[in-house]
Structure formats: C-alpha cells, structure tokens
Amino acid sequence: MRQTYSLKQKNRQLLEILLPILVTQLTLYAMNFFDTIMSGHASPSDLAGVAIGSSIWMPVFTGLNGIMMAVTPMIAQLLGAEKKEQIPFTVLQGVYLSLVLAVLVMVGGGLVLSPILNAMDLDTTVRDIAYRFLLAIGIGIAPLFISTVLRCFIDALGYTKVTMVITLVSLPLNVILNYILIYGKFGFPQLGGVGAGYASAVTYWCIALLSIYVIHRVQPFSGYRIFRQLYRPSLAAWKEQLKIGVPIGFSVFFETSIFAAVTLLMSEFSTATIAAHQAALNFASLLYMVPMSIAMALTIAVGFEVGAQRFKDAKQYSYLGIGMAVSMALLCACFLFFFSEQVAALYTTDTTVLQLTRHFLIYAIFFQLSDAVAAPIQGILRGYKNVNIVFIIALVSYWIIGLPIGYMTANYTSLGAFGYWIGLITGLLFGAIGLSARLLRIQRRFGQVNEQHCA
C-alpha cells in the first residue's frame, strides 16, 4: 500500500488490489460451483442433498468468517498509522481465535445437525447425502478458518496477488478430487455429492499449509516473524477483534442465512424445484463475487487512508469502488438476461430442472444492482471500523422485511417458489438503501473531523 495523490493513481491502486482479490474469490467460489455442477450430474438427489447441506453450512461459515475478516481493517489501519511492530501480535491472536471458533463449530455441529435435518420434510436419500456432506466438510473447518486469517494479513499489506496464486494452485486439486470421489474413479468409491465435501476439506488443508509456508519463508511476510515469535493468547486482543468481527459476522450471517432459510423453506416443493433453486442461486452467488471482491479491496484501501487520517482520500476510494460495482452489475444483468438457457444447461440435463432454473435466473437479475451498492458500502464501513449499525440494517432488511414478504408471496399467491425470490429482492433493496444512508452519515462525520484537524 502507498499514498496516492490523484484519482488516476487511486483508480490504478484500487484495481491492483481488486483484480487479484476477484480472481481469488472467483476461484474459491468455483470450488462450490464445481461441487454443485458435478453433484448435479451425479443425480438430482445428490444436487438437492448438497444444496441442503450447503444451505446449513454457508451461513455458519460466512458468519464466523466475518469475525476473522476483522483482521483486515485492523492491520490496514496499523499499516497506515505506521505501527508495523504491532502486526505480528494481531495476526497470531487472530489465528488463536480462529482455532477456538473451529472447535466450537465442530462441537455445536455434532449436537444440532441431526435434529435440524430430522425436522425437515426431506426425502430419506436427500437427507442422508446432506448429513454425510456436512460431516465431510467438518474435516476442513480448522484449516479453513486459519487460512482466512492468514489471507487477511497478506491482503491487508496489499499483496493480494499472493493469495490469488495460492488459491489458483488449489482449484485444480479440488476439481480432480471431485471427479475422483463423486464419480468413483481410479478405484475410489463412488460417493456422489458426499465426495464433494471430502474434496473441499482436503483442499482447505492444502490452502492453509501453503499460506503458512509463504508467510514463514517469503519476503516481506517472513520479515514480520509471525510464527517465529509466539505470543500467549490474549483475551484483550480477542475482545478487540470480536468487537469489530462480531458485527461483521452478524451482518454477513443475516444476509447469507436468509438465502439458506429460503432453501430450507422450499423443502416443501419438489426435488426438481429445490435443485433448480440451488442451481440458479449458485450462479447468482458466483456473480456476487464481483461486488464482494470490490468490498474487500475497499476495506484495505479505505482502512489504510483512515489509519493515516487522510479522510478525503478514503471518500474518493469509496465512490470509485461503488462506481466499478454498479458498472459490473449492469454487465452481469445483461449476461443473465440473454444467456439464461446456456447457464441452466451447465447444471443439469433434466428438462424440468433446466426450465425451472431459467426462470429463477431471470429473478436473479434483480439481485445484481442491489448487491452492487450494498456490498461495496459494507466494505467501506469496515475500513472505517464502523460496523455495529450494519448488522442491524441486515437484520431488519432481510429477516423483518424480506423473509415475511417472500413467505406471503410464495404461500398466498400463484407465484409459488418464485415468491421467495421476490422477498429476497425486496430485502436486498432495503439493505442497499439503509447502508447508503449510513455511509453518507459516516463520511460527513469524518469530513468534519478532517476540517477541525486542518483548522
């Protein structure tokens, strides 16, 4: 990271940070993308089972992952304030906390997983696939959480290309393992959708080990001596990270869990409808990696400028990022409109599932514009370390407004399963409006601080 003096320089630096993050996020999501596609080609039951399993796992993962993501603005602000000597302590405490969270998830999952699945009206085969898929994923929880912290450290220093290379190396391994375990190749048993869970778990271990090697051996990361000077666990440091990370985690959880809740509520519909919903949601989520990546880049850039108390520069980065996100959203919406049939065909050869997927993809077009505003603003607010109000906006928008509208539309109109997507669109719209209002208020506040500082 370096100080910039013009919009051209800022745009260039933001793109330098963003593009590797985008490739990394697309690669990470491509693992889930291939899990879904390859499971779908095994059978509709495997696709539905992986859909249910993913819908339970993803809100848990993304919510807790938000706590680890707090490391990014913490390190970015330390870097901007030229307090580099505090960075190793912050990173190592993040690793300790990630291990504690991983243990809690595994213990909690062991207690509640069966009751949750038993309470759902699922076909026996689908339920069994979902259960075993989640058990397989559990093997990789600890390395997944650790690698998130290490990635935040690398990215916050501005070396986003490094995490991109690490992730790109891991993707072919994930696809090969999917092929072997889902379809039973080279003498391995044919596990169907469950094989995708084992493939992901092994890949998470590889990413974590490779990240540790890079930080330990490669400059400039090795200069921070992250694993050479060990610190004792600090409850005070955990409290600081949780103070930022818990609101981030809750906001992400409320957003992702609404999609999971819709998938679970749709268990009353046919297996074909569940499969089509999951396929369309999977591709829409793949497109979401664009605004999400912009948000992560903005957290780094804005956090760096705020740490250096250059609040005007932070504001300029904010609007550059939002402009990029809106432009990309318009392109993605056009792509979905004209190529919905081709996208649906990636997931299934079943005629019924294909046609239903096409219809869901048309609704997904409306996700794009709301996400293009909401996601970057969340990243900007994290850069300011202003995160408490964000999870309240998420709770109200998605659970108090979006889900009830979706439930009423799905159950009391002729739209059926598509009604839930109307609710999702409404929730995303209200979230974008609320976050926009918060950003304007925060920037006015920091603008006043800047004026007083200059005076």
Side-chain angles (χ1 to χ4, degrees), residues 322-333:
I322 294 172
M324 287 181 186
V326 171
S327 299
M328 291 301 299
L330 291 172
L331 291 175
C332 290

Side-chain angles (χ1 to χ4, degrees), residues 211-417:
S211 298
I212 291 171
Y213 175 82
V214 168
I215 288 173
H216 185 65
R217 302 286 297 184
V218 178
Q219 286 287 356
F221 317 111
S222 59
Y224 286 88
R225 303 177 64 85
I226 300 297
F227 299 111
R228 297 178 185 176
Q229 181 179 357
L230 297 179
Y231 299 91
R232 292 181 178 180
S234 168
L235 294 179
W238 292 7
K239 183 178 179 181
E240 180 185 0
Q241 183 177 338
L242 290 170
K243 186 177 179 181
I244 302 171
V246 168
I248 293 175
F250 269 120
S251 63
V252 175
F253 173 79
F254 287 138
E255 182 173 357
T256 56
S257 62
I258 189 70
F259 291 93
V262 166
T263 299
L264 299 180
L265 287 170
M266 289 180 66
S267 62
E268 65 181 278
F269 295 98
S270 66
T271 298
T273 301
I274 297 174
H277 159 79
Q278 179 62 19
L281 187 58
N282 180 264
F283 193 79
S285 299
L286 180 65
L287 295 180
Y288 177 68
M289 293 303 102
V290 176
M292 181 180 179
S293 299
I294 293 173
M296 295 173 72
L298 287 171
T299 298
I300 297 167
V302 171
F304 179 74
E305 299 297 349
V306 170
Q309 297 189 1
R310 294 188 291 266
F311 303 122
K312 181 180 178 181
D313 296 80
K315 186 175 182 179
Q316 290 175 337
Y317 272 120
S318 301
Y319 289 104
L320 279 173
I322 294 172
M324 287 181 186
V326 171
S327 299
M328 291 301 299
L330 291 172
L331 291 175
C332 290
C334 291
F335 177 83
L336 278 177
F337 182 79
F338 289 108
F339 298 100
S340 60
E341 183 174 356
Q342 288 82 353
V343 171
L346 292 173
Y347 290 88
T348 184
T349 55
D350 184 283
T351 303
T352 302
V353 176
L354 190 147
Q355 291 302 319
L356 286 169
T357 302
R358 286 190 63 195
H359 284 106
F360 280 120
L361 285 171
I362 297 301
Y363 283 95
I365 290 174
F366 297 97
F367 288 178
Q368 305 306 311
L369 291 176
S370 294
D371 282 336
V373 176
I377 292 177
Q378 288 187 50
I380 294 164
L381 292 174
R382 290 168 193 162
Y384 283 105
K385 289 188 179 179
N386 188 269
V387 292
N388 290 327
I389 194 65
V390 177
F391 84 87
I392 297 175
I393 293 172
L395 173 62
V396 172
S397 300
Y398 305 131
W399 284 90
I400 296 179
I401 297 175
L403 187 60
I405 290 176
Y407 182 84
M408 295 293 290
T409 308
N411 290 277
Y412 298 99
T413 72
S414 60
L415 287 171

Side-chain angles (χ1 to χ4, degrees), residues 54-102:
S54 296
S55 296
I56 295 173
W57 162 240
M58 289 308 294
V60 175
F61 162 62
T62 52
L64 293 176
N65 199 49
I67 296 176
M68 271 73 81
M69 288 170 61
V71 173
T72 299
M74 292 171 68
I75 293 177
Q77 289 202 12
L78 287 173
L79 192 65
E82 298 184 355
K83 297 179 180 179
K84 296 182 180 181
E85 70 282 356
Q86 298 180 23
I87 290 177
F89 176 79
T90 301
V91 174
L92 206 55
Q93 295 302 322
V95 170
Y96 294 155
L97 183 56
S98 71
L99 286 172
V100 172
L101 293 174

